Amino acid sequence: MHLQQKTNQNLEGSSQMPAKESHGGHALFDAHEAISGLVGGMEQYLLYEQHIQDPELKMMLGQHKSFLTQLYNTLVETLKTGQEPAVGTRTYNMASDNNVLYGMQPTQPKSPAQTVNEINDECVSSFMLGVLKQSASAFTTTALETTNPVLRRVFSDSIPNLVEMAYEVFLYQNKHQYYQVPQLQQQDMQQLINAFNPAPSQGPVSH
């Protein structure tokens, strides 16, 4: 028997195996890391909730927790079965508008909190933003490495939801001047905005 024939005997396509086994080893490592990171973020949300003073932020955190819990269950089911989950990926729609305040206002220099009592809404919203950014990055990496098509789609379709939640937290922070947005001088901004021109349109490829 030729070496190529022997090698082919060790190969198996996804159509020849149960869907729940259609995962590569590297993909499983990435999936475990992404899901574990999501679990850690959800548990951090539990810790943060008790320190919130603003009802608006508390409501936002509750909406995030509910959405992330369903996302977690969808991911776990898809990981276990490799098939379409009972509850597919949903769309997160933030409650706030997208008005951004630009410019800088004077603020007092900050230093790390020394007691738990110093943890305030600014701290909590920053923690929430960090959790969401971390998960968005992990889900992106995992979606690019996942071999099972359903699990890949669940990860990739979830990224816009994490981005939307992170944007919602940013807008909350910006509104309260926790996250200020400086701008460049007008001429510098315009130079960067106009640094690119459209490429010529490409017609259909001829054969």
Side-chain angles (χ1 to χ4, degrees):
M1 185 179 291
H2 294 297
L3 178 61
Q4 185 64 41
Q5 291 176 309
K6 289 182 180 180
T7 301
N8 288 342
Q9 286 179 342
N10 295 326
L11 299 177
E12 188 174 12
S14 57
S15 60
Q16 301 167 285
M17 64 177 67
K20 64 181 181 180
E21 295 177 9
S22 61
H23 300 289
H26 186 83
L28 281 177
F29 293 148
D30 279 353
H32 270 248
E33 185 174 347
I35 296 173
S36 295
L38 178 62
V39 168
M42 293 165 66
E43 291 170 345
Q44 287 177 63
Y45 267 40
L46 288 176
L47 293 174
Y48 303 155
E49 192 167 15
Q50 62 189 304
H51 298 288
I52 295 178
Q53 300 297 316
D54 185 357
E56 181 186 355
L57 184 59
K58 183 165 285 191
M59 182 180 295
M60 186 192 303
L61 184 141
Q63 290 169 340
H64 287 193
K65 276 173 54 182
S66 176
F67 191 92
L68 294 174
T69 298
Q70 181 56 65
L71 170 56
Y72 168 78
N73 287 334
T74 296
L75 281 167
V76 169
E77 180 186 349
T78 309
L79 179 66
K80 288 179 179 293
T81 67
Q83 298 177 328
E84 292 289 339
V87 179
T89 309
R90 295 175 174 177
T91 300
Y92 183 84
N93 294 307
M94 65 182 185
S96 58
D97 60 33
N98 58 359
N99 182 50
V100 177
L101 300 175
Y102 292 95
M104 300 290 290
Q105 293 293 325
T107 57
Q108 292 296 319
K110 294 180 175 62
S111 59
Q114 300 302 303
T115 67
V116 172
N117 292 333
E118 295 177 66
I119 301 299
N120 55 23
D121 292 342
E122 181 176 3
C123 298
V124 171
S125 56
S126 293
F127 300 156
M128 292 169 64
L129 187 58
V131 162
L132 295 165
K133 284 183 174 182
Q134 186 276 330
S135 281
S137 295
F139 276 39
T140 301
T141 301
T142 303
L144 293 168
E145 300 292 345
T146 302
T147 53
N148 177 275
V150 184
L151 185 60
R152 175 183 281 251
R153 190 171 68 251
V154 171
F155 274 117
S156 62
D157 287 352
S158 298
I159 296 164
N161 292 319
L162 294 168
V163 171
E164 188 80 352
M165 282 187 273
Y167 189 42
E168 183 177 38
V169 176
F170 155 73
L171 289 168
Y172 173 85
Q173 288 190 305
N174 176 250
K175 179 173 67 176
H176 292 278
Q177 297 185 359
Y178 302 153
Y179 194 135
Q180 300 196 58
V181 182
Q183 286 191 298
L184 298 173
Q185 292 183 5
Q186 188 69 23
Q187 68 178 49
D188 294 338
M189 188 187 308
Q190 288 303 315
Q191 184 171 339
L192 290 173
I193 290 172
N194 297 319
F196 303 98
N197 279 328
S201 201
Q202 300 294 312
V205 178
S206 57
H207 295 284

